[in-house]
Amino acid sequence: MLKNVILFSLIFFISSFIKSESMFSLKKEYEISVFIEGTNQVDIKEGMKAGLTSLLVNLSGDSKIMKKGSAQKILSQPEKFVSKYTLGIKEEKITANFVYQGDLLRSSLSQNSLPLLLSQNQFVLVFFPCRAIAINRENLQEKKMCSELEDKIIEISNLRNSNITFPLMDLTDLNYFESLSSISINKFMRKISNRYSAESWLLCNTKDEFGLLLEKPKCKSSVNDQYLSPDFVINEILDKSNSRNSLIVNKQIKNETIIRIDSVNSFSSLENILEEIDSQILVFDTSLREIKGEAVEIEVSHFGYFKDLQYLLNINENFKEVSTDSRDIISFRYNRN
């Protein structure tokens, strides 16, 4: 039943992640709508599992995370992470809207030694010769395959909370294609990737080397030179790219760091700051050390190194690091009052 609910959830999942400046993996709440088969507690829990499965993939950046026993342990109690839910009707089907608690999810990832993706949306350059180079419009089968391929890649990209872009195929790109593709399609892909400042690329073909239409499209990428299925290749690109920007909390390493926060102009701001720092995935204790006018110093006990905590706060939109002469204190301005 869970597989069916997951398939239903894909229809709504894209609209659940409204783009914002805040990093996806650091959000306070995640709101996801899914189709469910009924309104009893069993079906509602299946819906919770479907939403949580998608969330764990995006928070970790790993499409295979659900194969890990520790992830299955989290999935066994989905209701633990849901703060509220509502039921409704859409397209004559029952929908469930779940709100998941971000801090609790990050804490569970930490406790189970699972990665947390600390990066903004990944960017992949995608090239389909059937789309970019004019095809025989009479070949409706190829046209249909090309359109379905594009829809599939866009759908997977959206579900993985990543961005794709296609080359313009202007005169510059066409010249590159004509001069390089016959020598090495990889050289062409590297050339246009540099042009578009893309770290990763994906190439998908609908024809074989003899110009005959394939039964199914085949793709390769900047991380794998083998032609494989589109689903496998795009997920592999994102998994490998995300792994370079993920944090796994090492609870064997403990440190204490002094953080200075400027522009604290109210008690409510101070409360927000302490709560915000205390909720960071690396932090296990905080204490107020000193108040000097509108500046406060906070002693933070955390897992990992000084630089790990500094990086974690730097990617939080509510904190803006300011330069300081001290090597022992990291200084920030708090942007949310």
Side-chain angles (χ1 to χ4, degrees):
M1 186 182 294
L2 177 56
K3 289 183 179 179
N4 291 334
V5 178
I6 291 174
L7 289 174
F8 290 146
S9 73
L10 302 188
I11 299 173
F12 285 118
F13 193 67
I14 296 171
S15 62
S16 300
F17 295 130
I18 299 172
K19 302 296 182 184
S20 71
E21 294 182 359
S22 62
M23 184 171 294
F24 176 80
S25 62
L26 300 180
K27 291 180 179 292
K28 289 291 185 184
E29 293 183 335
Y30 300 91
E31 187 172 341
I32 299 178
S33 294
V34 302
F35 286 126
I36 59 175
E37 295 185 354
T39 58
N40 59 70
Q41 288 304 306
V42 173
D43 289 331
I44 291 172
K45 186 170 181 176
E46 290 296 314
M48 290 179 179
K49 284 184 178 181
L52 183 56
T53 297
S54 301
L55 262 180
L56 290 176
V57 168
N58 280 290
L59 287 173
S60 67
D62 183 1
S63 66
K64 302 180 183 69
I65 192 167
M66 298 316 300
K67 294 182 179 180
K68 299 179 180 179
S70 51
Q72 286 295 325
K73 180 181 176 182
I74 294 175
L75 192 64
S76 67
Q77 293 182 298
E79 65 277 4
K80 173 182 174 183
F81 304 97
V82 176
S83 59
K84 59 183 177 181
Y85 72 88
T86 56
L87 303 179
I89 298 290
K90 187 176 179 67
E91 299 174 1
E92 299 183 349
K93 296 177 182 178
I94 303 170
T95 64
N97 190 69
F98 300 108
V99 177
Y100 297 85
Q101 303 176 72
D103 289 342
L104 193 54
L105 279 167
R106 285 184 286 274
S107 177
S108 291
L109 289 173
S110 169
Q111 291 170 6
N112 289 280
S113 299
L114 294 170
L116 176 69
L117 178 61
L118 297 177
S119 175
Q120 293 288 12
N121 298 349
Q122 300 302 303
F123 169 51
V124 181
L125 180 69
V126 177
F127 177 63
F128 303 154
C130 64
R131 177 186 188 273
I133 309 300
I135 65 172
N136 183 354
R137 294 300 173 184
E138 294 181 359
N139 193 335
L140 297 180
Q141 190 176 356
E142 181 180 8
K143 184 178 179 181
K144 181 175 182 289
M145 183 186 293
C146 195
S147 177
E148 290 175 350
L149 171 64
E150 182 175 344
D151 290 343
K152 178 183 286 289
I153 294 298
I154 291 174
E155 178 187 51
I156 294 173
S157 174
N158 285 332
L159 291 172
R160 292 294 306 272
N161 204 34
S162 64
N163 292 325
I164 66 168
T165 189
F166 294 92
L168 297 173
M169 295 312 294
D170 54 10
L171 287 177
T172 300
D173 287 343
L174 287 171
N175 285 335
Y176 289 154
F177 184 78
E178 290 175 3
S179 61
L180 295 174
S181 63
S182 60
I183 302 171
S184 169
I185 193 65
N186 285 16
K187 286 185 178 180
F188 166 69
M189 292 306 302
R190 288 194 291 269
K191 189 74 172 180
I192 61 172
S193 293
N194 289 334
R195 185 186 182 200
Y196 292 95
S197 302
E199 181 182 346
S200 305
W201 56 260
L202 171 72
L203 164 71
C204 295
N205 286 327
T206 53
K207 291 181 177 179
D208 63 19
E209 62 270 29
F210 304 108
L212 300 176
L213 194 64
L214 296 166
E215 288 187 14
K216 294 181 180 179
K218 295 292 183 182
C219 305
K220 67 177 180 176
S221 71
S222 50
V223 300
N224 193 332
D225 200 39
Q226 288 184 304
Y227 278 104
L228 301 164
S229 71
D231 309 57
F232 179 88
V233 176
I234 185 65
N235 278 309
E236 183 183 44
I237 292 173
L238 296 173
D239 287 349
K240 291 196 174 183
S241 178
N242 290 340
S243 68
R244 295 191 292 269
N245 299 290
S246 297
L247 170 70
I248 297 179
V249 177
N250 186 345
K251 294 192 174 182
Q252 303 302 313
I253 302 173
K254 296 181 179 181
N255 279 295
E256 291 186 351
T257 299
I258 305 300
I259 299 177
R260 176 189 170 94
I261 308 291
D262 296 325
S263 304
V264 184
N265 48 34
S266 69
F267 181 71
S268 62
S269 291
L270 178 58
E271 283 187 317
N272 289 338
I273 290 166
L274 291 171
E275 180 182 349
E276 189 93 44
I277 293 175
D278 197 49
S279 69
Q280 299 303 304
I281 191 171
L282 292 174
V283 175
F284 58 85
D285 191 33
T286 58
S287 60
L288 187 60
R289 190 166 180 257
E290 191 175 57
I291 300 177
K292 293 181 180 178
E294 291 192 348
V296 298
E297 287 188 2
I298 302 166
E299 186 173 316
V300 180
S301 300
H302 60 94
F303 301 111
Y305 299 103
F306 174 96
K307 290 291 184 181
D308 296 329
L309 181 63
Q310 184 178 28
Y311 175 72
L312 192 59
L313 291 175
N314 264 316
I315 61 176
N316 188 312
E317 64 174 354
N318 293 329
F319 293 94
K320 173 69 175 177
E321 187 171 7
V322 295
S323 59
T324 176
D325 295 331
S326 174
R327 294 184 177 181
D328 302 319
I329 298 177
I330 43 178
S331 187
F332 294 90
R333 181 177 294 105
Y334 189 62
N335 296 325
R336 186 187 124 200
N337 292 308

